[in-house]
Amino acid sequence: MQKFISLILVSLALACGSTKMVQTSDVIPSPPPAPSGPDGLKADTEKIASIGFTDAKTIGEHMNYLASDELKGRDTGSEGIEMAAAYIEKLFENNGVEPYYESYHDTLSNYKKPAYNVVGFVGGNDAQLKDEYILIGAHYDHIGVVKPENGDYIANGANDNASGTSTVLELARYFGTNKSNKRSLIFALFSAEEKGLYGSKHLAKKLHEADLNLYTMLNFEMTGVPLRVKDHFLYITGYGKSNLAEICNNYANEKLIGRSLIAKQYNLFQRSDNYPFYKEFGVPSHTYCAFDFTNFDYYHKPGDEVSEMDFEHMAKVVNKMIPVLEGIANAPNQEIKMN
C-alpha cells in the first residue's frame, strides 16, 4: 500500500526474516496447476463453496515465489520485478487469459525508469454485456532492499502486496479457465504503486482516453492475514461511496464485506490503485483489504515475510470472492451504484 505508515506510530517487536542475498535465476517456475475437485471445475457457486476452487497449497506456491528473497523485494524497475512479471504472464498464458494489448506489457509513460503493468483479458460471453468492463487489480511491486533490521535488508512484501497479487492470479485463473463471465474482465497487476500509484494512474488515463466502458474497478491489497474480532471477512475502502458492500454480501450470502473506521480515518480510499480509476471514470472503484494496522506488525518492513501469511485465509478470500465476482459480472443490470 502506498506509503502512509508515517501517519501513525507503531511500536511493535519485529521478527527476523532471512538475511542472505541470493543470486537471481534465469528460470521462472511454472505457476501451480489447478487443484483437482470432483466433476471438474465448473462455474457453480455451490460447488465452489463446498470444494473450493483454490487451496492453501496453491496460494502458498504463488507466495513462496513472489515474496522470495530471490526477487529482492520487487522494486519497480528491478530485475526482481521483471521475474515477478514473467511469472504472472506465464500463469495468464497457461490459463486462457489473453493479453489486453499486443502483449501483456503495458509500459508506463509517467515513470522515469523502465516499468510496466501486466494486463490480461477474459472477454465476456454475452453479446450485449461483453461491451461492459470490470477491472480487477492489485499492485505487484514493493520497495526492494531497505535499511537492515535485525540483519535482514530485503523487504519481501508478502502481505504488501504479493497477497493481493496472488488473489488476482487465482481469480484470473478461474475466469480464464471457465469463461463464465458475461461482462468482460481486465486483470491488471500494477507497477510503481509504492512510488505514487504511477502504474494505475497510467492505465486509468490510457483506458479513459480509449473510451473504455468501465463498470467498476475492484482492487485487492494486503489480504494475507485475517482481521481480528470483526463481524466481517474483509473491508472495502470508500465504503460509503457506493453500495458495493451490500452487493457483495448478497452474492456471498454472508457478511463478507464490512466497513473500517481506520480506513476512513487515514483515507485509505485514496492510497491504493482503485483511486486513479475513480478519478478518471467516476465509477465505483474500491479496494478489498484485510489490513487495519492492528493485525500485522511489519508494514514496509523486512519482516513482511511469507512465514507471517495465513494461506488458508487467503484461499478463503479467493473462494468467497468467486461467486461475488461472477454475480457482478453476470447480473442483467449494473447493480453497483455510486451513492
Side-chain angles (χ1 to χ4, degrees):
M1 197 174 279
Q2 187 188 11
K3 194 169 186 180
F4 56 87
I5 196 65
S6 59
L7 295 171
I8 65 172
L9 298 176
V10 179
S11 179
L12 296 164
L14 297 177
C16 180
S18 57
T19 60
K20 184 179 179 183
M21 182 74 81
V22 299
Q23 296 297 318
T24 56
S25 169
D26 292 331
V27 178
I28 304 300
S30 294
S36 60
D39 303 322
L41 296 167
K42 303 294 184 182
D44 185 303
T45 300
E46 292 183 2
K47 185 173 291 184
I48 294 165
S50 63
I51 68 170
F53 172 72
T54 195
D55 55 22
K57 179 178 182 294
T58 306
I59 292 290
E61 291 181 0
H62 293 318
M63 292 291 293
N64 281 319
Y65 183 70
L66 292 171
S68 65
D69 278 5
E70 188 176 10
L71 271 59
K72 298 184 178 71
R74 306 185 311 279
D75 196 8
T76 298
S78 71
E79 184 179 1
I81 198 171
E82 291 275 349
M83 295 169 70
Y87 181 89
I88 293 165
E89 292 163 23
K90 191 169 187 178
L91 184 137
F92 280 179
E93 184 178 1
N94 290 348
N95 289 279
V97 181
E98 300 175 357
Y100 183 72
Y101 295 110
E102 289 186 6
S103 76
Y104 293 112
H105 287 199
D106 168 41
T107 301
L108 272 56
S109 60
N110 57 355
Y111 193 68
K112 56 187 177 182
K113 293 182 179 179
Y116 53 88
N117 303 319
V118 182
V119 187
F121 173 71
V122 178
N125 61 26
D126 182 89
Q128 282 75 45
L129 294 179
K130 69 179 182 180
D131 294 327
E132 300 175 11
Y133 289 77
I134 298 169
L135 196 148
I136 300 167
H139 74 90
Y140 74 110
D141 67 306
H142 195 51
I143 60 175
V145 175
V146 297
K147 183 178 179 180
E149 293 188 6
N150 299 319
D152 186 6
Y153 45 81
I154 299 175
N156 299 79
N159 201 23
D160 186 14
N161 188 34
S163 65
T165 299
S166 296
T167 300
V168 171
L169 290 181
E170 286 299 276
L171 293 172
R173 186 168 67 83
Y174 175 82
F175 285 102
T177 301
N178 288 282
K179 304 292 194 296
S180 59
N181 49 295
K182 293 183 178 180
R183 291 181 173 86
S184 294
L185 305 178
I186 296 173
F187 294 94
L189 285 307
F190 302 109
S191 188
E193 189 268 2
E194 300 287 4
K195 308 300 184 182
L197 308 181
Y198 286 107
S200 53
K201 287 177 180 177
H202 160 84
L203 185 60
K205 181 179 179 181
K206 186 174 180 178
L207 293 176
H208 190 230
E209 289 175 349
D211 292 324
L212 183 82
N213 184 12
L214 183 65
Y215 168 24
T216 185
M217 192 282 184
L218 307 174
N219 192 53
F220 290 86
E221 176 91 59
M222 299 184 73
T223 58
V225 294
L227 292 164
R228 295 174 179 168
V229 198
K230 302 292 183 183
D231 65 349
H232 51 273
F233 195 69
L234 300 169
Y235 69 83
I236 56 169
T237 62
Y239 182 94
K241 293 185 179 296
S242 81
N243 65 341
L244 176 63
E246 178 186 352
I247 297 299
C248 291
N249 293 341
N250 286 342
Y251 283 121
N253 198 30
E254 63 175 296
K255 191 170 182 182
L256 178 65
I257 306 300
R259 72 169 73 231
S260 168
L261 296 179
I262 292 290
K264 184 176 181 180
Q265 181 180 356
Y266 295 108
N267 197 19
L268 302 191
F269 178 73
Q270 294 186 16
R271 298 182 181 273
S272 193
D273 290 309
N274 59 287
Y275 188 62
F277 292 90
Y278 172 76
K279 285 186 67 178
E280 286 284 348
F281 287 91
V283 300
S285 305
H286 299 267
T287 291
Y288 297 92
C289 191
F291 167 71
D292 65 357
F293 298 104
T294 70
N295 62 341
F296 188 69
D297 300 343
Y298 310 115
Y299 173 75
H300 279 196
K301 303 290 185 181
D304 186 0
E305 301 263 9
V306 168
S307 59
E308 301 297 322
M309 300 295 98
D310 185 335
F311 297 157
E312 293 285 353
H313 162 77
M314 293 178 64
K316 287 180 181 177
V317 171
V318 175
N319 291 332
K320 288 175 180 288
M321 285 303 304
I322 285 173
V324 171
L325 296 181
E326 210 156 45
I328 292 170
N330 294 340
N333 301 306
Q334 293 189 0
E335 303 169 301
I336 308 170
K337 305 290 186 182
M338 297 294 297
N339 288 335

